[in-house]
């Protein structure tokens, strides 16, 4: 009899021992075990002959899922690394990344695959036998003629309502279903021919192919429309030639996946492609996961979580839009899927390709330092698609009313008359107001560190979210004496109403996380815009990405100043990325696009760089600032967050944490605890504490010492705390 070491989804940093009664279960396989009064699903991490617990107190496992393939050793190793690096319990790490179905006590298996093909009589009658009005039947018939056998998942990509039509074909004796074994070709359509690469693209591809199949991080930097996706596809084509090899392609948001999916499917019709993202139903996710693991899926395209998908034979990992904040998980294990992808590439010894028009400063810095290899695409691939002209509207001269200035309104009116579309982009992400002098651009600075102070209107105080410094709001600008000081970000709330009033004929569609929550909302929105059923889109960063709207010729940008002078030192970097992206929406086709940006500070370097579409220049100046302020990437950070229904236990916990840290904080800087902008969120009082170190190693050593102490600390009335390594939000 042996003892199994099992990972369970409980918030304890340890494994649990159970007796194995000869199940033959292997490391990486799932088991069902008794835990307290419940049963839980666990993963076997290994076997041992001795336990800290007396053997007669150990309980046997209830069940072993021996018929399932065990998680590969590489996946276990990657998850162990993540658990250590992000200081998150191993069991929760392991179980947390599994598709929901694998957390249930049911054996997981792939469904029997059913395919469809034409019968001999179907082939004999031919396509002409189907009446012209049976459009769908004709379409399916033609697809079957071409592909010989088609799977149901493929048929759904041809037409969502294919079942009744196919049944009619079967009833007529023209088609039949068969059971499939082994992989089937992905799709029926004729493959899209590869584009002939331009010189930049060719150079990038050749550099990667010449470097071979081992680990390497590439940063593919190319403006929107410069043909990065085309380079990915050429790379995959070359890499997937090797028998059984697989590619993992990470994409940031759900709204990009349908587009990318259809491009990849059209290009690789013979390969099985699986998609993995949270909007898929549970069985789709399970099946995708299993097909990736058994090697059947040659291309896996997915969002953040899919970075953990087991692969039989990984050959390359691509991270599209690598700078995107949605790669960072904001609860549970707070991992960065981009960083995990790089670690995974290193462990598997395969190349990792990061692509972006506006790389994160972390990646850009790594490329400058030679740790990543930079590949540049400097022009738009379709030469007729000119870059949009970018202009600023100086809102000190033309005051916006309820958020919108007259010139912007005029421009929208013109588009309306010409039957073209406009997009109004509101930048409100992670918004914290700062105190800004509109006369001289003075922004209330922290006297103790290089951060900016945040306005807390409720208490009429200014606070530093970095170091904890606090002061009252000054009556006038200390720099020029202007008594008219305002927090940034006023007046955008009513925007939609105002538009409806001022342009009553316009059909307005709001696009944000709330309005796009439903499953097909994004597809419908895209279709509406393409069908010209919308004149003005009003939205947040969701709109900035990926969509291609040929009739959209104007982008208006509201409220940039709160990001320009944000207390969050990453705000300017994000603003630039968003504006570049949103500018990329205008004038993609033959109609030239214009971007109008409302700002009090048209001379800001950010706008100058933006007008020249010059990321490199802007990145260099931001990196200078970061170096001087000693912010990432010139230091490494972790954030300890705590919350509880009352503030006092939070304060006490943080004070104890800070005191405990003093003993071993030689190589790190531990700031004072700070209350974030949203002091109280969802009924919880919050506080956080920032830790900075010169090296990752010093930071990790510090956390390794601190976290066990935090786990043992008396937490009074339920203080919840978490560690965020490499935080993006404060
Ligand atoms: P990105 O991913 O950088 O935004 P895409 O790969 O989507 O760029 O390319 C933008 C457009 O240019 C697409 O319509 C694509 O088909 C086209 N394209 C890309 N590369 C080429 C090329 N070498 N020749 C012609 N068209 C190209
Ligand atoms: Zn001033
Ligand atoms: Zn400060």
């Amino acid at each position: 009899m042996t003892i199994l070491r099992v990972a369970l989804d409980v918030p304890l940093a340890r494994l649990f021992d159970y007796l194995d009664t000869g199940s033959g279960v292997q490391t990486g396989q799932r088991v069902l075990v008794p835990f307290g009064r419940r049963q839980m699903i666990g993963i076997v991490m290994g076997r041992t002959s001795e336990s800290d617990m007396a053997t007669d107190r150990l309980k046997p496992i209830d069940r072993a899922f021996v018929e399932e393939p065990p998680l590969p050793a590489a996946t276990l190793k990657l998850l162990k690394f993540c658990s250590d690096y992000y200081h998150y319990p191993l069991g929760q790490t392991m179980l947390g990344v599994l598709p929901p179905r694998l957390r249930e006590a049911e054996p997981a298996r792939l469904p029997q695959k059913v395919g469809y093909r034409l019968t001999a009589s179907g082939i004999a009658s031919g396509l002409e036998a189907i009446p012209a009005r049976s459009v769908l039947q004709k379409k399916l018939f033609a697809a079957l003629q071409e592909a010989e056998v088609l799977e149901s998942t493929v048929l759904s990509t041809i037409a969502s309502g294919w079942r009744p039509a196919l049944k009619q074909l079967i009833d007529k004796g023209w088609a039949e279903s068969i059971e499939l074994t082994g992989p089937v070709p992905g799709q029926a359509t004729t493959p899209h021919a590869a584009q002939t690469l331009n010189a930049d693209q060719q150079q990038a591809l050749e550099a990667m192919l010449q470097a071979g199949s081992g680990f390497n991080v590439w940063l593919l930097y190319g403006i929107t429309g410069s043909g990065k996706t085309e380079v990915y596809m050429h790379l995959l084509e070359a890499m997937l030639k090797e028998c059984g090899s697989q590619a993992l392609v990470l994409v940031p948001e759900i709204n990009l996946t349908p587009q990318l999916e259809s491009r990849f499917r059209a290009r690789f019709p013979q390969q099985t492609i699986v998609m993995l993202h949270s909007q898929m139903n549970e069985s789709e996710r399970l099946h995708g996961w299993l097909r990736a693991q058994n090697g059947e899926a040659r291309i896996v395209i997915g969002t953040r979580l899919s970075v953990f998908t087991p692969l039989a034979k990984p050959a390359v990992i691509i991270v599209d839009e690598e700078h995107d904040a949605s790669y960072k998980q904001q609860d549970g294990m707070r991992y960065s899927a981009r960083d995990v992808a790089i670690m995974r590439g290193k462990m598997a010894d395969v190349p990792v390709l990061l692509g972006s028009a506006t790389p994160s400063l972390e990646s850009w810095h790594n490329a400058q330092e030679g740790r990543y290899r930079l590949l540049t695409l400097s022009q738009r691939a379709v030469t007729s698609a000119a870059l949009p002209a970018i202009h600023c509207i100086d809102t000190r001269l033309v005051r916006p009313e309820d958020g919108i200035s007259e010139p912007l309104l005029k421009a929208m009116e013109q588009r309306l008359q010409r039957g073209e579309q406009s997009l109004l982009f509101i930048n409100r992400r992670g918004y914290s107001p700062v105190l800004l002098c509109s006369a001289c651009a003075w922004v209330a600075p922290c006297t103790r560190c290089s951060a900016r102070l945040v306005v807390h209107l409720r208490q009429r105080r200014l606070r530093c979210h970095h170091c904890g410094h606090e002061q009252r709001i000054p009556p006038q600008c200390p720099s020029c004496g202007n008594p008219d000081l305002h927090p940034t970000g006023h007046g955008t709330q009513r925007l939609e109403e105002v538009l409806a009033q001022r342009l009553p004929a316009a059909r307005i569609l709001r696009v944000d996380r709330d309005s796009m929550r439903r499953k097909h909302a994004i597809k419908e929105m895209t279709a509406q815009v393409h069908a010209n059923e919308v004149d003005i889109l009003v939205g947040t960063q969701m709109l900035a990405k990926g969509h291609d709207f040929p009739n959209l010729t104007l982008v208006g940008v509201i409220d940039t100043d709160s990001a320009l002078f944000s207390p969050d030192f990453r705000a300017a970097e994000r603003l630039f990325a968003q504006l570049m992206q949103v500018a990329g929406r205008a004038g993609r086709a033959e109609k030239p696009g214009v971007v109008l940006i409302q700002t009090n500070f048209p001379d800001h370097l950010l706008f100058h760089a933006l007008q020249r579409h010059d990321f490199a220049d802007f990145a260099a100046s931001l990196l200078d600032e970061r170096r001087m302020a000693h912010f990432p990437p010139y230091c490494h950070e972790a954030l300890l967050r705590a919350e509880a229904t009352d503030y006092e236990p939070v304060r006490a916990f943080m004070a104890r944490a800070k005191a405990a840290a003093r003993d071993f904080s030689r190589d790190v800087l531990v700031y004072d605890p700070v209350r974030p902008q949203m002091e109280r969120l969802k009924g919880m009082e919050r506080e956080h504490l920032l830790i900075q170190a010169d090296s990752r190693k010093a930071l990790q050593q510090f956390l390794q010492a601190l976290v066990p102490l935090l786990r043992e600390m008396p937490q009074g009335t339920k203080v919840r705390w978490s560690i965020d390594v490499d935080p993006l939000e404060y």
Side-chain angles (χ1 to χ4, degrees):
M1 204 175 333
T2 57
I3 298 167
L4 298 175
R5 316 226 61 202
V6 177
L8 294 177
D9 188 3
V10 291
L12 295 172
R14 46 171 287 221
L15 299 175
F16 295 84
D17 294 348
Y18 288 92
L19 294 175
D20 183 13
T21 46
S23 65
V25 71
Q26 301 170 48
T27 297
Q29 266 175 335
R30 300 194 306 140
V31 285
L32 187 68
V33 298
F35 189 81
R37 262 177 252 148
R38 296 181 290 159
Q39 281 187 314
M40 289 186 98
I41 288 289
I43 307 264
V44 176
M45 300 302 290
R47 284 173 187 273
T48 167
S49 53
E50 51 198 74
S51 171
D52 294 342
M53 279 243 275
T55 316
D56 56 351
R57 291 190 53 212
L58 289 179
K59 292 182 191 150
I61 56 170
D62 289 334
R63 175 165 185 191
F65 296 88
V66 287
E67 66 278 39
E68 292 174 10
L71 284 176
T75 303
L76 299 183
K77 192 173 160 202
L78 182 68
L79 289 167
K80 173 77 172 75
F81 169 84
C82 290
S83 163
D84 291 341
Y85 184 84
Y86 293 107
H87 299 271
Y88 195 68
L90 182 60
Q92 287 185 304
T93 304
M94 300 285 312
L95 277 296
V97 305
L98 296 181
R101 281 282 162 85
L102 288 179
R103 287 175 244 161
E104 289 164 12
E106 288 295 316
R109 64 171 76 90
L110 281 167
Q112 255 189 358
K113 268 187 290 183
V114 177
Y116 298 90
R117 67 178 174 202
L118 297 180
T119 58
S121 98
I123 293 168
S125 340
L127 190 59
E128 304 74 40
I130 301 172
R133 69 191 137 75
S134 308
V135 180
L136 200 48
Q137 282 184 45
K138 256 192 157 20
K139 200 167 167 187
L140 294 174
F141 195 99
L144 289 170
Q145 267 183 328
E146 197 170 327
E148 288 174 21
V149 180
L150 284 179
E151 217 193 317
S152 52
T153 51
V154 177
L155 288 165
S156 347
T157 66
I158 297 175
S160 54
W162 59 276
R163 278 183 196 278
L166 192 75
K167 184 163 181 306
Q168 281 165 340
L169 291 179
I170 293 172
D171 290 347
K172 287 180 201 155
W174 289 343
E176 63 187 352
S177 63
I178 51 164
E179 194 184 306
L180 297 175
T181 48
V184 254
Q187 210 184 20
T189 50
T190 30
H192 273 217
Q195 305 270 15
T196 312
L197 296 183
N198 63 32
D200 280 352
Q201 290 171 317
Q202 189 63 35
Q203 213 173 13
L205 179 69
E206 268 164 23
M208 290 188 282
L209 293 181
Q210 268 165 22
S213 59
F215 174 67
N216 234 318
V217 185
W218 302 91
L219 178 60
L220 179 63
Y221 158 57
I223 53 170
T224 332
S226 60
K228 294 185 291 298
T229 313
E230 205 56 46
V231 173
Y232 303 157
M233 293 194 293
H234 273 83
L235 181 67
L236 291 201
E237 199 176 346
M239 299 291 245
L240 297 183
K241 282 212 177 92
E242 192 181 328
C243 179
S245 61
Q246 296 169 290
L248 176 62
V249 182
L250 299 183
V251 291
E253 293 266 355
I254 205 91
N255 55 341
L256 274 179
T257 48
Q259 269 191 347
L260 207 70
E261 176 180 5
S262 52
R263 274 179 84 175
F264 274 77
R265 285 203 193 281
R267 184 63 180 279
F268 300 102
Q270 300 307 318
Q271 313 283 19
T272 302
I273 299 179
V274 305
M275 306 296 297
L276 286 170
H277 52 72
S278 59
Q279 279 198 1
M280 305 179 65
N281 70 38
E282 290 186 357
S283 41
E284 287 170 332
R285 278 175 71 184
L286 174 66
H287 301 155
W289 173 280
L290 293 175
R291 292 205 163 99
Q293 174 164 5
N294 73 15
E296 191 187 313
R298 300 293 300 281
I299 302 176
V300 176
I301 303 178
T303 48
R304 177 172 73 223
L305 192 60
S306 61
V307 71
F308 298 107
T309 311
L311 296 171
K313 193 176 173 187
V316 60
I317 304 176
I318 294 175
V319 184
D320 190 27
E321 309 283 355
E322 66 88 26
H323 65 282
D324 197 287
S326 74
Y327 283 124
K328 175 84 176 170
Q329 169 82 19
Q330 295 294 5
D331 53 26
M333 178 171 68
R334 290 163 163 80
Y335 63 94
S336 150
R338 178 203 54 217
D339 295 349
V340 174
I342 292 168
M343 183 42 71
R344 184 168 184 179
K346 191 168 177 180
M347 286 178 171
D349 196 26
V350 301
V352 179
L353 172 57
L354 312 178
S356 178
T358 50
S360 65
L361 284 194
E362 282 80 2
S363 299
W364 187 252
H365 179 61
N366 278 329
Q368 302 294 320
E369 302 276 300
R371 280 187 291 272
Y372 298 172
R373 296 171 65 177
L374 184 65
L375 306 164
T376 306
L377 307 181
S378 47
Q379 278 149 28
R380 279 200 161 177
V382 179
T383 38
S384 66
L387 290 167
I390 299 174
H391 304 289
C392 289
I393 297 174
D394 189 339
T395 43
R396 288 169 308 185
L397 305 177
V398 276
R399 289 265 167 208
E401 239 174 82
D402 292 314
I404 304 192
S405 66
E406 205 51 42
L408 181 54
L409 207 60
K410 277 254 156 58
M412 295 172 87
E413 211 163 7
Q414 268 175 12
R415 297 305 179 294
L416 200 58
Q417 279 157 9
R418 295 210 295 254
E420 295 170 4
Q421 294 164 322
S422 317
L423 185 165
L424 206 54
F425 177 68
I426 312 169
N427 173 67
R428 299 285 294 200
R429 192 169 170 285
Y431 166 72
S432 300
V434 298
L435 198 65
L436 177 68
C437 172
S438 56
C440 76
W442 172 86
V443 181
C446 177
T447 48
R448 288 204 335 206
C449 74
S450 359
R452 295 182 174 114
L453 297 176
V454 178
V455 181
H456 287 242
L457 266 186
R458 197 154 56 120
Q459 293 84 3
R460 304 223 30 92
R461 308 281 289 172
L462 297 173
R463 284 194 193 140
C464 177
H465 286 193
H466 227 76
C467 73
H469 169 76
E470 202 180 308
Q471 67 184 61
R472 65 186 183 83
I473 295 182
Q476 62 190 45
C477 173
S479 166
C480 76
N482 171 20
D484 196 25
L485 294 181
H486 285 295
T488 50
H490 265 304
T492 49
Q493 288 85 346
R494 292 188 52 230
L495 208 60
E496 210 185 334
E497 292 164 42
V498 173
L499 271 184
Q501 267 168 27
R502 301 291 303 269
L503 303 172
R507 295 161 300 173
I508 301 172
L509 184 68
R510 187 166 58 90
V511 179
D512 55 26
R513 227 161 271 277
D514 292 331
S515 66
M516 291 294 118
R517 197 146 291 175
R518 281 176 308 111
K519 185 161 179 175
H520 296 295
I522 290 161
K523 264 192 192 153
E524 284 164 21
M525 181 273 287
T526 315
Q528 268 183 300
V529 178
H530 278 286
N532 261 324
E533 292 164 9
V534 177
D535 300 309
I536 300 175
L537 286 160
V538 180
T540 52
Q541 66 277 359
M542 274 199 90
L543 266 178
K545 289 174 206 157
H547 303 288
D548 205 345
F549 300 136
N551 197 31
L552 186 97
T553 58
L554 172 71
V555 173
V557 184
I558 304 282
D559 187 26
T560 49
D561 294 352
S562 52
L564 224 42
F565 299 105
S566 169
D568 178 352
F569 66 87
R570 282 195 181 82
E573 174 186 355
R574 284 197 196 116
L575 178 65
F576 189 87
Q578 284 181 349
L579 293 182
M580 279 287 258
Q581 258 174 346
V582 87
R585 300 306 113 224
R588 286 205 111 189
E590 304 309 314
K591 296 177 185 168
V594 175
V595 179
L596 297 179
I597 302 171
Q598 293 189 165
T599 176
N600 272 326
F601 308 97
D603 290 325
H604 195 286
L605 177 68
L606 186 144
F607 297 123
H608 286 293
L610 195 70
Q611 277 157 349
R612 295 195 313 269
H613 301 269
D614 189 349
F615 169 79
D617 192 30
F618 186 59
S621 85
L622 284 184
L623 279 175
D624 275 348
E625 273 176 39
R626 299 266 185 102
R627 189 185 305 111
M628 286 186 295
H630 202 63
F631 283 155
Y634 297 96
C635 77
H636 299 275
E637 294 185 334
L639 199 67
L640 171 63
R641 292 195 184 86
E643 59 178 26
T645 45
D646 297 314
Y647 175 57
E648 178 46 32
V650 176
R651 194 205 54 76
F653 173 81
M654 283 303 214
R656 277 198 301 275
K658 166 116 190 171
R662 205 162 287 141
D663 296 339
F664 42 83
S665 61
R666 247 182 324 113
D667 298 326
V668 302
L669 193 56
V670 181
Y671 287 99
D672 284 337
V674 189
R675 306 218 60 188
Q677 173 64 22
M678 304 289 275
E679 293 184 5
R680 197 178 163 81
L681 187 68
K682 295 176 185 157
M684 303 295 260
E685 299 287 345
R686 314 194 302 155
E687 196 161 78
H688 64 226
L689 180 152
L690 182 67
I691 302 146
Q692 286 183 336
D694 283 341
S695 72
R696 257 183 225 295
K697 193 163 159 241
L699 185 66
Q700 285 296 333
Q701 279 171 351
F702 172 81
L703 292 175
Q704 268 157 27
L706 179 68
V707 172
L709 295 182
L710 296 178
R711 292 205 170 108
E712 276 158 26
M713 233 170 237
Q715 263 139 58
T717 49
K718 296 195 195 89
V719 174
R720 283 202 309 222
W721 60 270
S722 62
I723 291 280
D724 191 348
V725 179
D726 309 324
L728 288 182
E729 317 250 342
Y730 300 85

